[in-house]
Amino acid sequence: MAQLYFRYGTMNSGKSIDILKVTHNYEEEGKPVLLMTSILDTRVGQGVVASRIGISHDALAISDEMAVFDYVEQLTEKPACILIDEAQFLTKAHIYDFARIVDELDIPVMAYGLKNDFRNELFEGSKYLLLLSDKIEEIKTVCWFCHKKATMALRTIDGQPVYEGEQLQIGGNESYLPVCRKHYMNPEADA
């Protein structure tokens, strides 16, 4: 029986390397996989899932207008699994489509992404994944400043914390740091 999975973690928790590992394992067994990512993630090019350690794989880019259920339903070769990177950027409609894919087409869906943004608000895609997923798993990493578990992303500009602004700003370590609650509230606090 297929299930909808949501694997979330903060920046630098290894979400992309995990999805690439799962993709590799399926493909090595000769099982077709549909690897997808948000069209908004253009750090290494549109339609590419890439890890900071240098591994990447082509993926289907999901636009806001894409009817995901219809796309998967019309495929001649059904995938053994659907894997989604940067799922936080997806819409409510996308997440409901993925739930339908699990329930009606019996294809497991594994979505990876951030839970909350730099303002500590849920992303739309993450909100609906938290509501609809059969299994929710946290991928953990440590705070940039101490050894506590990182649960938040601290946006910085020129090394200074930023707590207001547009939700969407694509970036890596130059823009975001994984932090614990203490260092989110006060980055200058002693570790």
Side-chain angles (χ1 to χ4, degrees):
M1 175 185 286
Q3 293 187 321
L4 176 59
Y5 298 84
F6 181 37
R7 294 182 175 155
Y8 72 90
T10 189
M11 302 292 291
N12 292 335
S13 62
K15 297 178 300 297
S16 295
I17 193 66
D18 196 59
I19 198 170
L20 291 168
K21 176 187 73 173
V22 172
T23 300
H24 172 78
N25 289 344
Y26 270 95
E27 290 176 342
E28 190 172 51
E29 294 174 12
K31 297 176 182 171
V33 172
L34 177 56
L35 182 59
M36 306 176 89
T37 189
S38 169
I39 200 166
L40 299 176
D41 184 13
T42 58
R43 287 174 291 170
V44 294
Q46 201 170 68
V48 177
V49 173
S51 172
R52 287 185 174 92
I53 65 170
I55 300 170
S56 65
H57 195 293
D58 288 338
L60 178 66
I62 304 170
S63 68
D64 282 352
E65 301 78 28
M66 183 177 185
V68 179
F69 181 86
D70 296 342
Y71 177 84
V72 173
E73 186 180 41
Q74 61 82 31
L75 291 173
T76 54
E77 182 182 27
K78 297 294 186 237
C81 183
I82 297 174
L83 300 160
I84 310 149
D85 198 28
E86 303 295 347
Q88 72 272 8
F89 297 138
L90 302 182
T91 66
K92 176 181 178 180
H94 291 136
I95 304 308
Y96 273 86
D97 270 359
F98 285 118
R100 283 186 65 204
I101 289 166
V102 169
D103 296 340
E104 298 176 28
L105 303 179
D106 199 35
I107 300 171
V109 175
M110 296 180 194
Y112 290 75
L114 300 169
K115 181 179 68 169
N116 43 303
D117 67 15
F118 78 102
R119 297 172 301 188
N120 211 24
E121 301 284 337
L122 290 175
F123 284 97
E124 180 178 351
S126 303
K127 174 183 174 180
Y128 289 100
L129 281 163
L130 288 167
L131 290 170
L132 296 177
S133 292
D134 300 299
K135 299 241 169 126
I136 300 169
E137 300 172 24
E138 181 179 20
I139 301 173
K140 298 177 180 126
T141 193
V142 295
C143 176
W144 190 265
F145 300 106
C146 70
H147 297 291
K148 290 182 183 175
K149 181 175 80 166
T151 58
M152 300 176 185
L154 180 65
R155 183 185 283 178
T156 61
I157 297 178
D158 297 325
Q160 298 301 309
V162 177
Y163 299 96
E164 298 294 326
E166 291 294 318
Q167 184 180 52
L168 183 62
Q169 176 185 313
I170 306 299
N173 290 343
E174 78 287 350
S175 302
Y176 296 99
L177 300 175
V179 294
C180 65
R181 183 181 58 239
K182 174 182 174 181
H183 285 105
Y184 176 82
M185 302 293 190
N186 184 3
E188 303 297 321
D190 292 335

